[in-house]
Amino acid sequence: MGWIGISDLYEAQLRVCPDMQSDTRKLLSRGSLLVEFEYVSPPDGGTTLVDFSAAEGWARRLKLHLGADNRLMLVQTQEHADSRCVIALSLPPTLGPGRLRATFSWDAACGTARLSLEGEALDAPMIQIADNPFPMPVSDLVLLTRAGRRYCAGPVRVLAFADQVCPVPLPAGLHEGALVRTQSGYVPVQDLNVGDRVVTGSGFTLPVRHLVRQSLPMVGLSRAIRLRAPYFGLQDDLICAPNYKLLLSDERAEYMFGREKLFVEARFLLGHRGVEELRRLRSANWVHIVLDRHADLNVAGMWAESLCIGDTLSSETLHASSPLAHIPPAFLPLGGVPCHPTLNAFEARGLALMDVA
């Protein structure tokens, strides 16, 4: 089923059978718990982000703590167990304030667990693997999602859980329904197939090598941005991820930055009257297109990026945890360079009201 519980700590949306919501005997032997929070340098005693405990049937506890030494630690314990599951990630000492998303994924049958961390200020996800996680009662996850403000500290903004081990996401890209121009016309992105040839900004067509399909909660870091037609030359409304890169082409861009074409993330266009943010307490299906090289695509009449994998999957652990784990690295365009520069937050805000090419 995927993501079956999503909360912004004020409202929760659940897709769980009523008989499973209170029965501690219903266990998730594999699943994922997502915690999104605002990061600031922790105080001397650190910050406990999540501290959930229950005693019905047996005593158990799940704690996510950001220490004063900038270590993010997840500890899972159970009464009468011989061991506990502990996973720790050391955050970069130079990390500045911003939104971070920690995801704890477990497979008790296989005896493995993973803690991953993503964020706008991180160049690539951080991952740590551990052993011996415990199955979690569905009722515990439901209670945590419904009453998140009881168990979470102030910096926490989003909670979600899934009934499967979710991959560590790559950039989400386009929402289902976005129209991508191919050599035979516009095609909804979810209907593309490997081998289809898409039109690029260079005037040539390139074959689709891979399609990254992901289901993510439509809140926080994976909320959606809608660009409305006919603004930006769009022939149809476009819904994309906040970090999806759109192509700017404007004489002011060339004057200020010395480049005729520049990428800007969709979230930096908020404030333009043709751009709005969508927040939904549900999951959404996203698709990103991998070509032989990074290129700009025609999406519903405007230009935007294909997926630039670059060094994102440079390590074996990152690759094995990603949505592209089933594809050998030799068949992926790793180490590619972007076809155009990307504006940073400060530069983008200075050009926020420019038209998109």
Side-chain angles (χ1 to χ4, degrees), residues 96-120:
R99 185 70 67 93
L100 295 177
R101 172 178 286 182
T103 305
F104 170 55
S105 297
W106 68 93
D107 189 333
C110 294
T112 59
R114 180 184 71 215
L115 181 63
S116 63
L117 189 70
E118 318 149 50
E120 296 164 349

Side-chain angles (χ1 to χ4, degrees), residues 1-6 15 32 34 101 103 105 114 118 160-176 211-219 221-223 241 281-288 322-323:
M1 291 179 64
W3 296 101
I4 55 178
I6 303 173
R15 295 190 298 135
S32 297
L34 178 155
R101 172 178 286 182
T103 305
S105 297
R114 180 184 71 215
E118 318 149 50
F161 72 94
D163 60 356
Q164 61 191 34
V165 175
C166 297
V168 177
L170 291 169
L174 296 165
H175 190 271
E176 286 188 343
L211 292 164
V212 181
R213 303 180 188 272
Q214 303 176 95
S215 176
L216 297 168
M218 206 171 172
V219 289
L221 290 175
S222 52
R223 66 198 184 280
L281 289 180
R282 62 177 178 84
S283 59
N285 295 323
W286 303 92
V287 184
H288 219 325
S322 78

Side-chain angles (χ1 to χ4, degrees), residues 186-197:
Y186 284 103
V187 175
V189 66
Q190 71 273 14
D191 294 337
L192 288 173
N193 295 298
V194 172
D196 290 349
R197 299 192 72 90

Side-chain angles (χ1 to χ4, degrees), residues 26-231:
K26 304 293 186 180
L27 301 176
L28 279 185
S29 62
R30 59 199 312 265
S32 297
L33 174 65
L34 178 155
V35 181
E36 195 167 297
F37 61 97
E38 296 291 345
Y39 170 81
V40 293
S41 184
D44 290 341
T47 301
T48 297
L49 299 169
V50 178
D51 193 353
F52 178 88
S53 60
E56 184 182 355
W58 71 98
R60 53 201 180 275
R61 187 179 186 185
L62 179 76
K63 184 176 181 179
L64 182 65
H65 182 78
L66 179 62
D69 56 357
N70 235 23
R71 293 178 75 229
L72 184 67
M73 179 174 293
L74 184 136
V75 180
Q76 187 190 32
T77 57
Q78 290 200 26
E79 185 183 34
H80 305 313
D82 294 332
S83 61
R84 61 179 186 164
C85 180
V86 180
I87 316 178
L89 282 170
S90 294
L91 278 60
T94 57
L95 186 64
R99 185 70 67 93
L100 295 177
R101 172 178 286 182
T103 305
F104 170 55
S105 297
W106 68 93
D107 189 333
C110 294
T112 59
R114 180 184 71 215
L115 181 63
S116 63
L117 189 70
E118 318 149 50
E120 296 164 349
L122 294 175
D123 294 331
M126 301 177 65
I127 298 175
Q128 187 64 46
I129 307 296
D131 299 324
N132 303 319
F134 301 108
M136 295 189 65
V138 176
S139 59
D140 287 2
L141 294 165
V142 168
L143 181 58
L144 176 59
T145 304
R146 275 183 170 162
R149 300 178 75 180
R150 183 192 310 171
Y151 302 106
C152 299
V156 176
R157 297 291 182 266
V158 176
L159 288 170
F161 72 94
D163 60 356
Q164 61 191 34
V165 175
C166 297
V168 177
L170 291 169
L174 296 165
H175 190 271
E176 286 188 343
L179 299 174
V180 178
R181 188 178 177 188
T182 70
Q183 63 180 3
S184 56
Y186 284 103
V187 175
V189 66
Q190 71 273 14
D191 294 337
L192 288 173
N193 295 298
V194 172
D196 290 349
R197 299 192 72 90
V198 296
V199 176
T200 69
S202 64
F204 298 98
T205 62
L206 288 175
V208 174
R209 291 305 183 195
H210 307 289
L211 292 164
V212 181
R213 303 180 188 272
Q214 303 176 95
S215 176
L216 297 168
M218 206 171 172
V219 289
L221 290 175
S222 52
R223 66 198 184 280
I225 304 292
R226 190 209 309 267
L227 289 84
R228 292 192 175 278
Y231 296 106

Side-chain angles (χ1 to χ4, degrees), residues 303-343:
W303 295 98
E305 68 160 351
S306 65
L307 178 59
C308 183
I309 297 178
D311 297 325
T312 305
L313 304 181
S314 57
S315 76
E316 183 178 341
T317 302
L318 284 171
H319 175 258
S321 303
S322 78
L324 294 174
H326 62 289
I327 301 173
F331 293 95
L332 293 172
L334 302 177
V337 297
C339 60
H340 304 297
T342 299
L343 298 178

